[in-house]
Amino acid sequence: YAAKARENLSDTKTLTPPPPLPMDADAVVVLGGDGTLLSVARQVADRDIPIVGVNLGGLGFLTEISREHCFQDLDRVLSGAYDIEERMRLRVALERQGREVFVQTVLNDAVINKGALARIVDLDTHIDGRYLTHYRADGLIVATPTGSTAYNLSAGGPIVYPTAQAVILTPICPFALSNRPIILPASSRIQVQLDDKAQDVTLTCDGQVGQRLAPNDTIAVVMSPHSLKLIKPASTDYFDILRTKLKWGQT
Amino acid sequence: YAAKARENLSDTKTLTPPPPLPMDADAVVVLGGDGTLLSVARQVADRDIPIVGVNLGGLGFLTEISREHCFQDLDRVLSGAYDIEERMRLRVALERQGREVFVQTVLNDAVINKGALARIVDLDTHIDGRYLTHYRADGLIVATPTGSTAYNLSAGGPIVYPTAQAVILTPICPFALSNRPIILPASSRIQVQLDDKAQDVTLTCDGQVGQRLAPNDTIAVVMSPHSLKLIKPASTDYFDILRTKLKWGQT
Amino acid sequence: YAAKARENLSDTKTLTPPPPLPMDADAVVVLGGDGTLLSVARQVADRDIPIVGVNLGGLGFLTEISREHCFQDLDRVLSGAYDIEERMRLRVALERQGREVFVQTVLNDAVINKGALARIVDLDTHIDGRYLTHYRADGLIVATPTGSTAYNLSAGGPIVYPTAQAVILTPICPFALSNRPIILPASSRIQVQLDDKAQDVTLTCDGQVGQRLAPNDTIAVVMSPHSLKLIKPASTDYFDILRTKLKWGQT
Amino acid sequence: YAAKARENLSDTKTLTPPPPLPMDADAVVVLGGDGTLLSVARQVADRDIPIVGVNLGGLGFLTEISREHCFQDLDRVLSGAYDIEERMRLRVALERQGREVFVQTVLNDAVINKGALARIVDLDTHIDGRYLTHYRADGLIVATPTGSTAYNLSAGGPIVYPTAQAVILTPICPFALSNRPIILPASSRIQVQLDDKAQDVTLTCDGQVGQRLAPNDTIAVVMSPHSLKLIKPASTDYFDILRTKLKWGQT
């Protein structure tokens, strides 16, 4: 999708160029951090290839195998001692004058936000065709449960267990103090429309692929039919990672 | 359940005594506020009677028919123009020395909190048998999506769409600043255990039925097999109520 | 003050009985945690005795000398290598039917909060005689800069540099989501009045001395004329303590 | 200052071009919103001219005279029935390679923030020459008490009474969840330094004058010697405005 969209649009900017991916792979081992895995996940978009992540740096939410346990854990995975965790993804489409001009499948989030010099962004939001509200804010995050511990957390959103079926809508620095994060059913159809004066507003997918927006653009987000298959070594535990990354439990 | 439990325990305190409920009702019309509806909902615990709420005061999250539209909306409901919305509930059990000594079915929330003079409460929390974390806080809220707009919201938790399938875990004034609200799958089995020095700690169900806790008590929370059937007149809209109650969208 | 008040009131409960203090001390060395220092600080209420705190446990915001550096730091202090930091305190008075029935000088905070079974507390608040707002909340914290890193922080309040001249007003789980913490000039006269239906509401001073409140009680808080003199060894730095206690700066 | 700086720097962008101001004015009546008053305030930077604001739209925090009471209130002011409120301001200087290349006097805030496509900004912060912390965030706000109800509030900062003497440091969407807003004494000297890889980072003064930053730039903020004199009609009350703007006290 992305490649096609990029031909038409001069404004698209890919922050992390994705590596090429062989067509006949059974599984992909990602060496790197969560960012690398996100990029690979977009590459496997609609294919059914499971991914396993080895973290070369610290500890990741997605890359759950650490460098030191790398060979041991991969041995186990090859011998069949693993689970496959299905992580829901979002299909993010940019609609301009009635046409889809840009489509991405994201594992973490789609973020609409204003540039540094813009004052505020005005966003009309509909859920399943019903009016939700008008956000005046620095931006708006639409996140998956997997993405809940990424940008969403910094913006004040809640942690959502990664295999939960839900979509998170978190405004960034909203003008109205009562504009709290909202958790919607995974089946929700979310539409976010810019007003006719919008300028210097960007859509960013998984923090990596950016797309400059134009006045009256609409961002339509639904659950992707293609979940990501994440290979989990038997030894890893989400709550362990959570406690470590968020420094819980140490007085 | 509650009646039986209350025979055994001298500490139970029902803040709002529930009204008696005929056994052969087809539906219940609740006149009052959200509190009254919560109380009636506990009364119909495992029976399949749908409820419709008429708000005699302002506007409620649960009692969606206002006084002025009362007859008109009830007429419509009687003529069949309504939806039934299934709201998930939680089965809350207090386990003491291996026995269940108190059980409630809640529509909003179960709250464990310290008394005014206690300093802090220490709570060990497990999800599906796996260790989540140790909370040091004023208390802990376990809420349904319906209850997300009640106490949970004041304590910093997110709004969860009422028909979503999820459980919310929100610490009250936690000592660790990174202890954010967590959204868990509806199927989660949540266990919260007090330490052996706990004193002046109370379990409150739907803000109405209180139970004094003892050291080492465990609160076990699972989704109730009995959802609540809420009759919704065709005219009501959740986002409308949200915008009005939270004063969104006005300048 | 406290002693006199306690004669009249049967409801006062001192959680940590303060140790006796000789009248002719030049300085007090407190061995213990921050709680012990708070208790000693109340004892020296209107006397001009400087205090130095040695922390026997971890690290404290107030007890800045650690166990291992204890003798070395105390040696330096005795040889004159120290600063005296003046920490502002609050005079907290409970007025009932026009009379002051209870007075405390606090270094951290005065907290008005509801009991575990009470639903909410209604508080009318005036600043220098002008109406501020009506709080509906679990409670209200009036804190000094020194107390900003105590209960105030858990309730969502900001960090205030300890020698700043300011008073912090932080509602606990407020019903209105836009009820944010407010910083007032140190000279402000704060009056918080309970309504005529209040029950199960408590005033707690520095988390240690509790006083049951009655309907229509007024809590009047002003800056105490007696600041606390805290002896600071040359080696200690507030930002160091902040980073360590709040786990900043570690990825 | 601004004019001189602008000659040297091609990146400066003034969002709201300030109106010319006669040199011999006794007072300035600003017709417009808070934005207009901020712009005029920067124009009177080091002169001693008091300002009065008439709000042509809704209600402003700074423009306290409403359209309907305009003539009546101005009559009173001309007859001497007013107070002058001194609002502290900040002197914001951009230091590059040891030279001040850009200086502004702000009434509300100086904001350092990343562009829409940048991931995060890394900021080393010192207070009075002592290391505070390293922020990883979308940005950092340095606000006056007057500016506390502007961007600071959206970013999670507290309300600070406008005549208090304090500076507020509020990170925008910080990576570390325990990075809370900090209130510093008005006399503090704040230094914020970008790292050597910084790109797409902007300094914005009062939301109106923007300046593109370069790697290793330092922003130095101190209290301005020139406070703003704000003419206040006898009838206005800060808490009234606060309750109205933040929608407190209704239901």
Side-chain angles (χ1 to χ4, degrees):
Chain A
Y1 294 95
K4 188 148 164 294
R6 234 173 283 132
E7 283 165 32
N8 305 329
L9 295 164
S10 55
D11 293 337
T12 307
K13 191 176 162 194
T14 301
L15 301 179
T16 310
L21 202 66
M23 288 304 289
D24 57 347
D26 281 335
V28 179
V29 178
V30 175
L31 304 171
D34 282 2
T36 314
L37 195 143
L38 284 171
S39 153
V40 173
R42 274 200 317 283
Q43 282 290 295
V44 303
D46 54 355
R47 288 196 274 160
D48 224 37
I49 311 170
I51 293 184
V52 61
V54 176
N55 201 315
L56 298 183
L59 179 69
F61 273 109
L62 292 168
T63 47
E64 299 177 76
I65 298 183
S66 67
R67 194 174 201 159
E68 53 175 332
H69 297 118
C70 171
F71 292 107
Q72 184 183 327
D73 279 354
L74 287 181
D75 260 354
R76 281 195 201 161
V77 166
L78 288 173
S79 70
Y82 64 92
D83 291 317
I84 284 200
E85 209 172 77
E86 303 244 347
R87 298 285 183 99
M88 76 168 267
R89 294 198 282 184
L90 297 172
R91 181 186 187 276
V92 180
L94 166 56
E95 297 169 2
R96 185 172 292 167
Q97 290 154 351
R99 287 180 49 230
E100 280 193 355
V101 292
F102 174 83
V103 178
Q104 287 278 320
T105 300
V106 301
L107 179 57
N108 263 0
D109 50 34
V111 177
I112 299 155
N113 65 352
K114 68 172 196 67
L117 283 176
R119 282 185 168 205
I120 214 162
V121 64
D122 280 277
L123 300 170
D124 255 341
T125 313
H126 288 78
I127 309 299
D128 296 332
R130 288 153 55 211
Y131 177 59
L132 170 60
T133 194
H134 180 92
Y135 288 108
R136 308 198 69 205
D138 278 11
L140 183 64
I141 302 168
V142 187
T144 63
T146 296
S148 70
T149 47
Y151 193 12
N152 168 70
L153 207 57
S154 291
I159 297 157
V160 180
Y161 193 82
T163 56
Q165 297 292 305
V167 185
I168 313 157
L169 212 61
T170 299
I172 306 167
C173 298
F175 191 83
L177 301 184
S178 59
N179 267 345
R180 283 289 184 79
I182 303 180
I183 312 296
L184 297 164
S187 61
S188 303
R189 192 164 42 87
I190 299 164
Q191 273 175 297
V192 183
Q193 187 170 20
L194 274 66
D195 68 4
D196 54 8
K197 289 183 295 289
Q199 55 177 48
D200 196 7
V201 182
T202 301
L203 167 67
T204 310
C205 293
D206 280 345
Q208 298 185 336
V209 179
Q211 169 62 45
R212 188 73 173 252
L213 300 179
N216 297 313
D217 274 0
T218 294
I219 316 300
V221 182
V222 294
M223 183 165 65
S224 166
H226 308 288
S227 66
L228 184 81
K229 278 84 189 162
L230 203 60
I231 295 175
K232 286 182 68 79
S235 62
T236 63
D237 177 77
Y238 178 74
F239 297 138
D240 267 351
I241 297 173
L242 205 57
R243 287 194 305 271
T244 306
K245 297 282 280 187
L246 300 188
K247 295 171 204 157
W248 287 359
Q250 308 131 288
T251 303
Chain B
Y1 295 94
K4 185 146 169 297
R6 235 174 282 132
E7 284 166 30
N8 304 329
L9 295 165
S10 55
D11 293 337
T12 307
K13 188 175 165 195
T14 300
L15 301 179
T16 312
L21 202 66
M23 288 304 289
D24 58 348
D26 281 334
V28 179
V29 178
V30 175
L31 304 172
D34 282 2
T36 315
L37 194 143
L38 284 171
S39 153
V40 173
R42 276 200 316 283
Q43 282 289 295
V44 304
D46 54 355
R47 287 195 276 160
D48 223 38
I49 312 171
I51 295 185
V52 61
V54 177
N55 201 314
L56 298 182
L59 179 69
F61 273 108
L62 292 168
T63 47
E64 299 178 77
I65 297 182
S66 67
R67 194 175 201 156
E68 51 176 334
H69 298 118
C70 172
F71 293 107
Q72 183 182 328
D73 280 352
L74 287 180
D75 261 354
R76 282 194 200 160
V77 167
L78 289 173
S79 71
Y82 63 91
D83 291 317
I84 284 201
E85 209 172 75
E86 302 245 346
R87 299 286 184 97
M88 72 169 269
R89 295 198 280 185
L90 297 171
R91 181 186 188 275
V92 181
L94 165 57
E95 296 169 3
R96 186 172 292 167
Q97 290 155 350
R99 287 179 50 232
E100 279 192 356
V101 293
F102 175 84
V103 177
Q104 287 278 320
T105 299
V106 300
L107 179 57
N108 264 359
D109 51 32
V111 177
I112 299 156
N113 65 353
K114 69 172 196 67
L117 283 175
R119 280 181 170 210
I120 214 159
V121 64
D122 280 278
L123 299 170
D124 255 340
T125 314
H126 287 78
I127 309 298
D128 295 332
R130 287 153 55 212
Y131 177 59
L132 170 60
T133 195
H134 180 91
Y135 287 107
R136 308 198 68 204
D138 278 10
L140 184 64
I141 302 168
V142 187
T144 63
T146 297
S148 70
T149 47
Y151 193 12
N152 168 70
L153 207 56
S154 292
I159 297 158
V160 180
Y161 194 82
T163 56
Q165 298 291 306
V167 185
I168 312 156
L169 212 61
T170 299
I172 306 168
C173 298
F175 191 82
L177 301 184
S178 59
N179 269 344
R180 284 286 185 80
I182 302 180
I183 312 296
L184 297 164
S187 60
S188 304
R189 191 163 44 85
I190 299 165
Q191 274 175 296
V192 183
Q193 185 169 20
L194 274 67
D195 69 2
D196 54 10
K197 290 182 294 290
Q199 55 176 49
D200 197 7
V201 182
T202 301
L203 167 67
T204 310
C205 293
D206 280 345
Q208 297 184 337
V209 179
Q211 170 61 45
R212 189 74 174 249
L213 300 179
N216 298 313
D217 274 0
T218 294
I219 317 300
V221 181
V222 293
M223 183 165 65
S224 167
H226 308 288
S227 66
L228 184 80
K229 278 87 189 161
L230 203 60
I231 295 174
K232 286 181 67 77
S235 61
T236 63
D237 177 77
Y238 179 73
F239 297 137
D240 266 351
I241 298 174
L242 205 56
R243 286 194 306 273
T244 306
K245 297 282 281 188
L246 300 189
K247 294 172 205 157
W248 287 359
Q250 308 132 286
T251 308
Chain C
Y1 294 92
K4 185 145 168 297
R6 236 173 280 133
E7 284 166 32
N8 304 329
L9 296 164
S10 55
D11 293 337
T12 307
K13 189 174 163 195
T14 299
L15 301 181
T16 311
L21 202 67
M23 288 304 289
D24 57 349
D26 281 335
V28 178
V29 178
V30 175
L31 304 171
D34 281 2
T36 315
L37 195 142
L38 284 170
S39 153
V40 173
R42 276 200 316 282
Q43 283 290 295
V44 304
D46 54 355
R47 287 194 276 160
D48 223 37
I49 311 172
I51 293 185
V52 61
V54 176
N55 201 314
L56 298 183
L59 179 68
F61 273 108
L62 291 169
T63 47
E64 299 178 77
I65 297 183
S66 66
R67 195 175 200 157
E68 52 175 334
H69 298 118
C70 172
F71 292 107
Q72 185 182 328
D73 279 353
L74 287 181
D75 260 354
R76 282 194 200 161
V77 166
L78 288 174
S79 70
Y82 63 91
D83 290 318
I84 283 198
E85 209 172 74
E86 302 244 346
R87 299 285 183 99
M88 72 169 269
R89 296 198 279 185
L90 297 171
R91 181 186 188 276
V92 181
L94 165 56
E95 297 169 3
R96 187 172 289 167
Q97 291 154 350
R99 287 180 48 232
E100 279 192 357
V101 293
F102 175 83
V103 177
Q104 287 277 321
T105 300
V106 300
L107 179 57
N108 264 359
D109 50 34
V111 178
I112 298 156
N113 65 352
K114 69 172 195 66
L117 284 175
R119 281 182 169 208
I120 214 160
V121 63
D122 281 277
L123 300 170
D124 255 340
T125 314
H126 287 78
I127 309 298
D128 295 332
R130 288 153 54 212
Y131 176 59
L132 169 61
T133 194
H134 179 91
Y135 289 107
R136 307 198 69 205
D138 278 12
L140 184 64
I141 303 168
V142 187
T144 63
T146 295
S148 71
T149 48
Y151 193 13
N152 168 69
L153 206 56
S154 292
I159 298 158
V160 180
Y161 194 82
T163 55
Q165 298 291 308
V167 185
I168 313 157
L169 212 61
T170 298
I172 305 168
C173 297
F175 191 82
L177 302 185
S178 59
N179 268 345
R180 284 287 185 78
I182 303 179
I183 313 296
L184 297 164
S187 61
S188 303
R189 191 164 42 87
I190 298 164
Q191 274 175 297
V192 183
Q193 186 171 20
L194 274 66
D195 69 2
D196 54 9
K197 288 182 294 291
Q199 54 176 50
D200 196 7
V201 182
T202 301
L203 167 67
T204 311
C205 293
D206 279 346
Q208 298 185 337
V209 179
Q211 170 61 45
R212 189 74 174 249
L213 300 179
N216 297 312
D217 274 0
T218 294
I219 317 300
V221 181
V222 293
M223 184 166 65
S224 166
H226 308 288
S227 66
L228 184 80
K229 277 87 189 160
L230 202 61
I231 295 175
K232 286 181 69 76
S235 61
T236 63
D237 177 77
Y238 179 73
F239 296 137
D240 267 350
I241 298 173
L242 205 57
R243 286 194 306 272
T244 306
K245 298 282 281 187
L246 300 188
K247 295 172 204 158
W248 287 359
Q250 308 131 287
T251 304
Chain D
Y1 293 96
K4 187 147 165 297
R6 237 173 281 135
E7 284 166 32
N8 304 328
L9 295 165
S10 55
D11 293 336
T12 306
K13 190 175 162 196
T14 301
L15 300 179
T16 310
L21 203 66
M23 288 305 290
D24 57 348
D26 281 335
V28 179
V29 179
V30 175
L31 304 172
D34 283 1
T36 314
L37 195 142
L38 284 171
S39 153
V40 172
R42 275 201 316 284
Q43 282 290 295
V44 304
D46 54 355
R47 288 194 275 158
D48 223 38
I49 312 171
I51 294 186
V52 62
V54 177
N55 201 315
L56 298 183
L59 178 69
F61 273 110
L62 291 168
T63 46
E64 299 177 77
I65 297 183
S66 67
R67 194 173 200 158
E68 54 176 330
H69 298 118
C70 172
F71 292 107
Q72 183 182 329
D73 280 353
L74 287 180
D75 261 354
R76 280 195 202 159
V77 167
L78 289 173
S79 70
Y82 64 91
D83 290 318
I84 283 199
E85 208 172 77
E86 303 245 346
R87 297 286 182 99
M88 73 168 268
R89 295 198 280 184
L90 297 172
R91 180 186 188 276
V92 181
L94 166 55
E95 296 169 2
R96 186 172 291 167
Q97 291 154 351
R99 287 181 48 232
E100 280 192 356
V101 293
F102 175 83
V103 177
Q104 287 278 321
T105 300
V106 301
L107 179 57
N108 264 359
D109 49 34
V111 177
I112 299 156
N113 65 351
K114 68 173 195 67
L117 283 176
R119 280 184 170 205
I120 213 161
V121 64
D122 280 277
L123 300 170
D124 255 341
T125 313
H126 287 79
I127 309 299
D128 296 332
R130 286 153 56 211
Y131 177 59
L132 170 60
T133 194
H134 179 92
Y135 287 107
R136 308 198 70 204
D138 278 10
L140 184 64
I141 302 168
V142 187
T144 63
T146 296
S148 70
T149 48
Y151 194 11
N152 167 70
L153 207 57
S154 291
I159 298 158
V160 180
Y161 194 82
T163 56
Q165 298 292 306
V167 185
I168 312 157
L169 212 59
T170 298
I172 306 168
C173 298
F175 191 83
L177 303 183
S178 59
N179 267 345
R180 284 289 184 77
I182 303 180
I183 312 296
L184 297 164
S187 61
S188 303
R189 191 164 43 88
I190 297 165
Q191 274 176 297
V192 183
Q193 187 170 19
L194 274 67
D195 69 3
D196 53 9
K197 289 182 295 289
Q199 55 177 51
D200 196 8
V201 182
T202 301
L203 168 67
T204 309
C205 292
D206 279 346
Q208 297 185 336
V209 179
Q211 169 62 45
R212 190 72 174 252
L213 300 179
N216 296 313
D217 275 1
T218 294
I219 317 300
V221 182
V222 294
M223 183 165 67
S224 165
H226 308 288
S227 65
L228 184 81
K229 278 87 190 160
L230 203 60
I231 296 175
K232 288 182 67 77
S235 61
T236 63
D237 177 78
Y238 179 73
F239 297 137
D240 266 351
I241 298 173
L242 205 57
R243 286 194 306 271
T244 306
K245 298 282 279 186
L246 300 188
K247 296 172 203 157
W248 287 358
Q250 308 132 290
T251 308

